[in-house]
């Protein structure tokens, strides 16, 4: 008994000392500050919370607030909405009515819940909803605290002049979010992360409903007809059941409800009713679409080459580029090429982006070629052609109107660094000429009307409607030159993030033997010994010779190519 009393007495004495030290430390900080009385009290409270409350490890599972709190938050349409992306990056989406400018000279900052700040830089404007976006990074010193609250977007100001903000809304987690929607004449296509997490394993549409409206408790719900990967299709809502303000301002939130879990996925997506827009542009017979990130330096070569052999229009899904992409696109359009960009900043959503393009381009493109900007379609039958022809790619497609071929599959040859130590001056077709012997994977050209209504795809090909089949070309008919393993200065950029939803990132120590990894590379962006000579099993200069014949500018002493003008 006496021993227990001594332990209790010792614990009480130590607790008093710790509390006294905390208060003395805080008193000195506040005394030395030039803040007014109100700011002193707020600062004291914030610092006490930071020093003395428990620290929680970061976890990725969803924080589920009470039903009452969720309803209260869902009933408010804030001026800004914020999403936590990978690498502690926060995307702030500003409502059209928000008083925010991105003009030069305007400096903004993100203010977080303990008054920590980080610079906010202007990002993009969503074309369909006209919402402006900013990006900032969560300060390192508050990353260990949970929950994460949505920051306030303010003009940069000294600490003494900052407004006092209340933080009640948690950051949307990118791992569980409705992020985009697209309306067709008959239904709505909704893109949602975190519902179907495993490739090939999808929730039944009967377990899901689309939710239209800013208040989930009184929103309009419609049945989901298909559920595949991150793509969900549902019926249009009866707009008469929504508030007039939402309809007039076109601020109709759309999300997905998981019925058996009785919860609605957080959303930054908005419903736009289908409109019939007359277009003077004729329907293109062959288009090309890809997802692109900071690859402006490769774009001209890719566009010039493929346009000369038959591609009429290029649709680029911009995955948040911050290089000169838009400048290059404008230059290409001024030179007579048809290149369009679609803002698609969502991480690891390549399959969803391709699904979006299959609907988005269906009325303006008949066939769609899905190849990346480091991939070039080539046929050995073109070797003796003195000039390129816009009929060349069409020779690979079915030529009978009654054909049931809905997709052409073209195998890939993977090229290595070919002893290059930087981006080849005259382009990838000229600099990379050594490849692996065996072909790897394939890419596709798809008849858009043949794509299955689920829009399911595996990046390399789409699922087709019943009655349509795919046709695989032989290597003598056609091949894709994939300049995959480039000079290390270019290749290491791939470590940022993989674009596929179902392929692990290079830095993730999982599936080390997967074909999606570079053999022997490891998990860190450290140049392996002898990288410049790797993946070189045979020389293949066929496309180099053909493109020199077709595109070399004869009056230049530097052997410049047409895309270098």
């Amino acid at each position: 008994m006496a021993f227990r009393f001594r332990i209790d007495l010792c614990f009480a004495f130590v607790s008093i000392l710790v509390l006294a030290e905390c208060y003395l430390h805080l008193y000195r900080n506040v005394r030395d500050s030039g803040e007014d009385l109100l700011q002193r009290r707020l600062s004291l409270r914030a610092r006490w919370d930071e020093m003395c409350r428990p620290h929680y490890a970061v976890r990725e599972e969803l924080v589920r607030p009470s039903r009452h709190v969720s309803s209260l938050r869902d009933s408010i349409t804030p001026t800004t909405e914020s999403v936590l992306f990978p690498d502690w990056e926060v995307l702030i989406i500003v409502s059209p009515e928000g008083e925010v400018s991105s003009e030069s000279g305007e400096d903004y900052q993100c203010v977080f819940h303990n008054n920590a700040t980080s610079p906010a830089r202007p990002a993009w404007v969503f074309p369909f909803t006209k919402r402006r976006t900013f990006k900032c990074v969560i300060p390192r010193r508050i990353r260990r605290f949970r929950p994460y609250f949505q920051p306030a977007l303010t003009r940069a100001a000294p600490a003494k002049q900052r407004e006092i903000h209340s933080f009640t809304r948690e950051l949307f987690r990118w791992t569980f979010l409705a992020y985009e929607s697209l309306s067709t004449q008959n239904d709505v296509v909704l893109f949602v992360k975190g519902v179907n997490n495993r490739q090939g394993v999808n929730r039944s549409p009967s377990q899901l409903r689309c939710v239209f409206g800013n208040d989930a408790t009184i929103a309009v719900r419609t049945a989901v007809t298909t559920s595949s990967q991150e793509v969900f299709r549902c019926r249009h809502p009866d707009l008469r059941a929504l508030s007039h303000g939402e309809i007039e301002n076109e601020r109709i939130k759309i999300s997905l409800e998981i019925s058996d879990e009785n919860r609605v996925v957080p959303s930054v997506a908005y419903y736009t009713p289908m409109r019939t827009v007359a277009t003077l542009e004729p329907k293109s017979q062959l288009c090309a679409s890809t997802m692109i990130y900071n690859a402006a330096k490769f774009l001209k070569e890719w566009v010039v080459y493929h346009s000369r052999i038959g591609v009429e229009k290029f649709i680029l899904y911009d995955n948040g580029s911050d290089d000169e992409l838009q400048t290059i696109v404008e230059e290409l359009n001024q030179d007579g090429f048809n290149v369009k960009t679609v803002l698609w900043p969502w991480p690891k959503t390549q399959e969803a982006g391709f699904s979006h393009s299959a609907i988005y381009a269906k009325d303006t493109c008949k066939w769609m070629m899905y190849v990346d900007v480091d991939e070039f379609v080539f046929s050995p039958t073109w070797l003796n052609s003195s000039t390129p022809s816009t009929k060349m790619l069409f020779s690979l497609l079915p030529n009978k109107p009654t054909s049931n071929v809905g997709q052409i599959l073209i195998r890939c040859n993977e090229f290595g660094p070919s002893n290059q130590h930087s981006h080849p001056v005259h382009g990838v077709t000229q600099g990379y000429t050594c490849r692996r012997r065996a072909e790897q994977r394939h890419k596709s050209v798809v008849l858009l009307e043949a794509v299955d209504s689920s829009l399911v795809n595996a990046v390399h090909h789409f699922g087709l409607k019943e009655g349509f089949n795919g046709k695989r070309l032989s290597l003598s008919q056609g091949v894709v030159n994939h300049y995959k393993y480039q000079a290390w200065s270019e290749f290491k950029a791939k470590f940022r993030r993989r674009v596929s939803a179902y392929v692990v990132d290079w830095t993730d120590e999982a599936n080390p033997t997967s074909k999606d990894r570079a053999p022997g590379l490891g998990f860190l962006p450290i140049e392996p010994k002898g990288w410049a000579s790797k993946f070189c099993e045979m020389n293949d200069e066929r496309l180099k010779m053909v493109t020199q014949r077709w595109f070399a500018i004869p009056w230049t002493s530097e052997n410049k190519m047409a895309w270098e003008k």
Side-chain angles (χ1 to χ4, degrees):
M1 191 69 177
F3 176 77
R4 182 175 179 179
F5 174 78
R6 286 196 298 270
I7 291 178
D8 290 343
L9 182 61
C10 181
F11 178 80
F13 180 74
V14 171
S15 299
I16 291 171
L17 287 178
V18 171
L19 289 172
E21 178 63 22
C22 280
Y23 273 111
L24 284 173
H25 177 72
L26 291 173
Y27 175 76
R28 293 190 195 101
N29 287 344
V30 173
R31 181 194 62 193
D32 295 337
S33 174
E35 301 170 346
D36 58 21
L37 180 59
L38 175 61
Q39 188 66 28
R40 288 182 184 181
R41 291 175 178 173
L42 291 172
S43 179
L44 181 63
R45 174 67 179 273
R47 292 171 186 168
W48 171 256
D49 288 343
E50 181 176 348
M51 291 178 61
C52 301
R53 70 177 175 176
H55 291 175
Y56 297 93
V58 175
R59 294 178 299 175
E60 284 298 324
E61 51 267 9
L62 176 71
V63 178
R64 302 184 187 180
S66 68
R67 189 180 187 87
H68 172 74
V69 173
S70 295
S71 298
L72 180 62
R73 290 178 185 170
D74 290 343
S75 66
I76 300 173
T77 303
T79 302
T80 64
E81 298 171 311
S82 302
V83 183
L84 179 58
F85 274 2
D87 302 322
W88 302 102
E89 189 175 61
V90 177
L91 177 68
I92 299 178
I93 305 172
V94 183
S95 299
E97 62 271 17
E99 296 181 359
V100 174
S101 169
S102 62
E103 297 179 358
S104 59
E106 291 280 5
D107 294 327
Y108 287 87
Q109 63 185 3
C110 292
V111 181
F112 292 87
H113 61 271
N114 69 340
N115 217 30
T117 64
S118 68
R121 63 186 188 279
W124 329 276
V125 177
F126 285 103
F128 303 116
T129 58
K130 307 303 179 185
R131 292 178 295 165
R132 192 175 299 281
T133 61
F134 288 76
K135 281 185 175 182
C136 60
V137 177
I138 294 183
R140 186 178 299 275
R141 63 191 177 99
I142 67 169
R143 293 177 185 177
R144 63 181 183 272
F145 299 138
R146 278 179 60 99
Y148 302 125
F149 291 104
Q150 298 204 21
L153 180 66
T154 67
R155 285 181 171 82
K160 295 180 181 180
Q161 300 177 13
R162 288 180 198 147
E163 298 178 13
I164 298 172
H165 301 277
S166 60
F167 300 91
T168 58
R169 295 179 294 119
E170 293 180 18
L171 264 174
F172 294 145
R173 290 298 189 94
W174 170 239
T175 51
F176 190 69
L177 186 73
Y179 56 91
E180 196 68 76
S181 76
L182 180 67
S183 293
T184 73
Q185 186 174 358
N186 300 315
D187 64 359
V188 183
V189 186
L190 180 62
F191 300 85
V192 185
K193 175 77 75 173
V195 176
N196 296 327
N197 286 315
R198 295 177 58 192
Q199 190 169 19
V201 181
N202 302 306
R203 285 183 181 267
S204 168
S206 62
Q207 301 175 357
L208 307 167
R209 289 187 295 178
C210 283
V211 180
F212 299 85
N214 296 326
D215 185 345
T217 61
I218 59 174
V220 177
R221 287 164 167 79
T222 65
V224 172
T225 56
T226 66
S227 164
S228 181
Q229 297 175 323
E230 296 181 4
V231 183
F232 306 84
R233 304 187 75 156
C234 55
R235 305 298 182 191
H236 283 284
D238 183 354
L239 294 179
R240 294 172 297 180
L242 298 172
S243 71
H244 292 294
E246 290 176 318
I247 297 174
E248 291 176 0
N249 297 324
E250 297 188 352
R251 296 275 297 152
I252 305 170
K253 194 62 100 44
I254 176 173
S255 190
L256 193 70
E257 182 177 57
I258 306 175
S259 301
D260 57 349
E261 297 181 11
N262 195 29
R263 61 172 172 164
V264 176
V265 180
S267 176
V268 295
Y270 286 86
Y271 168 68
T272 304
M274 180 63 183
R275 294 186 180 91
T276 302
V277 180
T279 177
L280 300 177
E281 186 179 351
K283 188 170 186 176
S284 300
Q285 293 300 299
L286 178 60
C287 302
S289 182
T290 190
M291 189 164 291
I292 189 169
Y293 173 77
N294 282 2
K297 70 169 72 172
F298 306 101
L299 190 59
K300 283 190 175 182
E301 181 181 9
W302 186 75
V303 169
V304 170
Y305 172 80
H306 285 105
S307 68
R308 295 292 187 256
I309 61 174
V311 175
E312 300 170 61
K313 180 191 296 184
F314 299 84
I315 303 176
L316 312 178
Y317 278 67
D318 180 5
N319 200 212
S321 301
D322 53 16
D323 62 355
E324 298 179 343
L325 176 63
Q326 290 304 320
T327 300
I328 298 298
V329 168
E330 290 174 6
E331 291 176 359
L332 285 167
N333 285 322
Q334 290 171 2
D335 288 341
F337 300 98
N338 190 344
V339 185
K340 180 180 179 60
T341 58
V342 177
L343 177 61
W344 192 266
W346 317 112
K348 293 186 73 65
T349 55
Q350 187 173 30
E351 293 87 350
F354 285 1
S355 296
H356 186 281
S357 74
I359 292 292
Y360 176 76
K362 187 176 181 181
D363 293 335
T364 58
C365 299
K366 182 177 180 179
W367 289 86
M368 183 67 78
M369 184 172 72
Y370 289 96
V371 294
D372 295 334
V373 293
D374 59 354
E375 296 171 336
F376 290 70
V377 180
F378 166 72
S379 172
T381 62
W382 305 340
L383 279 172
N384 295 323
S385 299
S386 59
T387 58
S389 167
T390 54
K391 297 181 180 179
M392 284 179 165
L393 282 175
F394 286 96
S395 68
L396 307 180
L397 304 178
N399 53 15
K400 295 181 179 179
T402 57
S403 173
N404 66 346
V405 175
Q407 186 164 229
I408 300 296
L409 306 177
I410 311 174
R411 302 178 204 184
C412 300
N413 283 329
E414 294 182 347
F415 284 72
S418 307
N419 287 314
Q420 299 287 337
H421 296 275
S422 60
H423 178 62
V425 175
H426 302 303
V428 296
T429 58
Q430 307 306 297
Y432 300 116
T433 57
C434 198
R435 65 174 175 86
R436 301 173 76 180
R437 190 173 300 278
E439 72 273 6
Q440 302 288 329
R441 299 194 177 279
H442 60 266
K443 290 301 172 80
S444 63
V445 187
V446 185
L447 180 66
L448 292 183
E449 68 177 25
V451 173
D452 186 76
S453 61
S454 67
L455 305 176
V456 62
N457 67 84
V459 176
H460 311 99
H461 58 265
F462 274 83
L464 301 178
K465 294 177 182 176
E466 186 175 351
F468 287 96
N469 298 312
K471 176 185 176 181
R472 186 183 296 272
L473 299 184
S474 67
L475 292 176
S476 62
Q477 291 175 306
V479 68
V480 173
N481 276 18
H482 184 185
Y483 300 104
K484 181 176 182 179
Y485 306 109
Q486 299 189 16
W488 181 255
S489 59
E490 303 297 334
F491 184 83
K492 67 180 181 181
K494 293 179 180 288
F495 275 84
R496 171 183 175 265
R497 192 181 301 135
R498 305 297 292 273
V499 291
S500 171
Y502 303 103
V503 175
V504 297
D505 288 337
W506 295 95
T507 54
D508 190 345
E509 298 184 17
N511 298 337
T513 60
S514 170
K515 289 185 178 181
D516 292 304
R517 290 191 176 278
L521 182 59
F523 308 105
L524 298 175
I526 300 174
E527 181 175 1
K529 185 178 180 180
W531 173 263
S533 60
K534 284 184 176 293
F535 315 112
C536 180
E537 297 172 356
M538 62 177 295
N539 287 313
D540 185 346
E541 295 190 350
R542 292 177 298 175
L543 187 54
K544 176 181 179 178
M545 292 187 297
V546 166
T547 50
Q548 283 181 351
R549 186 186 316 139
W550 293 351
F551 299 107
I553 304 175
W555 57 84
T556 58
S557 59
E558 302 88 355
N559 296 319
K560 283 191 174 182
M561 306 296 284
W563 44 80
E564 295 182 79
K565 288 192 299 182

